[in-house]
Coordinates of all heavy atoms in Angstrom, one line a residue:
L18 N 6.5 0.6 7.4 CA 5.9 -0.7 7.0 C 5.2 -0.5 5.6 O 4.8 0.6 5.3 CB 4.8 -1.1 8.0 CG 5.3 -1.7 9.3 CD1 4.1 -1.9 10.3 CD2 6.0 -3.0 9.1
R19 N 5.0 -1.6 5.0 CA 4.4 -1.6 3.7 C 3.3 -2.7 3.7 O 3.5 -3.8 3.9 CB 5.4 -2.0 2.6 CG 4.9 -2.0 1.2 CD 6.1 -2.4 0.3 NE 5.7 -2.7 -1.1 CZ 5.8 -1.8 -2.1 NH1 6.1 -0.6 -1.8 NH2 5.4 -2.2 -3.3
L20 N 2.1 -2.2 3.5 CA 0.9 -3.1 3.4 C 0.5 -3.4 2.0 O 0.6 -2.4 1.1 CB -0.3 -2.5 4.2 CG -0.1 -2.1 5.6 CD1 -1.4 -1.6 6.2 CD2 0.4 -3.2 6.4
S21 N 0.1 -4.6 1.7 CA -0.3 -5.0 0.4 C -1.6 -5.7 0.4 O -1.9 -6.4 1.4 CB 0.7 -5.9 -0.2 OG 0.3 -6.4 -1.5
W36 N -7.5 1.8 2.0 CA -7.2 1.3 3.3 C -8.0 2.1 4.4 O -8.0 3.3 4.3 CB -5.7 1.4 3.6 CG -4.9 0.5 2.8 CD1 -4.4 0.8 1.6 CD2 -4.6 -0.9 3.0 NE1 -3.7 -0.3 1.1 CE2 -3.8 -1.4 2.0 CE3 -4.8 -1.7 4.1 CZ2 -3.3 -2.6 1.9 CZ3 -4.3 -3.0 4.0 CH2 -3.6 -3.5 3.0
V48 N -8.0 5.8 5.8 CA -6.6 6.1 5.8 C -6.2 6.7 4.5 O -5.7 7.9 4.4 CB -5.7 4.9 6.1 CG1 -4.2 5.3 6.0 CG2 -6.0 4.3 7.5
A49 N -6.5 6.0 3.4 CA -6.2 6.4 2.1 C -6.9 5.6 1.1 O -7.1 4.4 1.3 CB -4.7 6.4 1.8
Y59 N -6.3 11.2 1.2 CA -5.6 10.7 2.4 C -6.3 11.4 3.7 O -6.8 12.5 3.6 CB -4.2 11.2 2.4 CG -3.3 10.5 1.4 CD1 -3.1 11.1 0.1 CD2 -2.7 9.3 1.7 CE1 -2.3 10.4 -0.8 CE2 -1.9 8.7 0.8 CZ -1.7 9.2 -0.5 OH -0.9 8.6 -1.4
F67 N 2.2 8.7 4.5 CA 1.8 7.5 3.9 C 1.6 7.7 2.4 O 1.2 8.8 2.0 CB 0.4 7.0 4.5 CG 0.5 6.5 5.9 CD1 1.6 6.7 6.7 CD2 -0.6 5.9 6.4 CE1 1.6 6.2 8.0 CE2 -0.6 5.4 7.7 CZ 0.5 5.6 8.5
T68 N 1.8 6.7 1.6 CA 1.6 6.8 0.1 C 0.8 5.6 -0.3 O 1.2 4.4 0.0 CB 2.9 6.9 -0.6 OG1 3.6 8.0 -0.2 CG2 2.6 7.0 -2.1
I69 N -0.3 5.8 -1.0 CA -1.0 4.7 -1.6 C -0.7 4.6 -3.1 O -0.6 5.6 -3.8 CB -2.6 4.9 -1.3 CG1 -3.3 3.6 -1.7 CG2 -3.1 6.1 -2.1 CD1 -4.8 3.6 -1.2
S70 N -0.6 3.4 -3.5 CA -0.4 3.1 -5.0 C -1.2 1.9 -5.4 O -1.6 1.1 -4.6 CB 1.1 2.9 -5.3 OG 1.6 1.8 -4.5
V78 N -3.4 -3.1 -4.3 CA -3.2 -1.8 -3.7 C -2.1 -1.9 -2.6 O -2.1 -2.8 -1.8 CB -4.5 -1.1 -3.2 CG1 -5.1 -1.9 -2.1 CG2 -4.3 0.3 -2.8
I79 N -1.2 -0.9 -2.6 CA -0.1 -0.9 -1.7 C -0.2 0.4 -0.8 O -0.6 1.5 -1.3 CB 1.2 -0.8 -2.4 CG1 1.4 -2.1 -3.3 CG2 2.4 -0.8 -1.4 CD1 1.5 -3.4 -2.6
L80 N 0.1 0.2 0.5 CA 0.1 1.4 1.4 C 1.5 1.4 2.0 O 1.9 0.5 2.8 CB -0.9 1.3 2.5 CG -1.0 2.5 3.4 CD1 -1.5 3.8 2.6 CD2 -1.9 2.3 4.6
Q81 N 2.3 2.4 1.6 CA 3.7 2.6 2.1 C 3.5 3.5 3.3 O 3.1 4.7 3.1 CB 4.6 3.1 1.1 CG 6.0 3.4 1.6 CD 6.7 2.2 2.0 OE1 6.7 1.1 1.3 NE2 7.4 2.2 3.2
M82 N 3.9 3.1 4.5 CA 3.8 3.9 5.7 C 5.1 4.2 6.2 O 5.9 3.3 6.6 CB 2.9 3.2 6.7 CG 1.6 2.7 6.2 SD 0.6 1.9 7.5 CE 1.5 0.4 7.8
Y93 N -5.5 -2.6 10.2 CA -5.7 -1.9 8.9 C -6.5 -2.9 8.0 O -6.1 -4.1 7.9 CB -4.3 -1.6 8.3 CG -3.7 -0.4 9.0 CD1 -3.3 -0.4 10.3 CD2 -3.6 0.8 8.3 CE1 -2.7 0.7 10.9 CE2 -3.1 1.9 8.9 CZ -2.6 1.9 10.2 OH -2.1 3.0 10.8

Side-chain angles (χ1 to χ4, degrees):
L18 284 174
R19 180 182 171 94
L20 304 183
S21 177
W36 294 91
V48 177
Y59 293 93
F67 292 10
T68 302
I69 190 169
S70 60
V78 64
I79 302 293
L80 185 68
Q81 178 65 43
M82 305 185 293
Y93 283 69

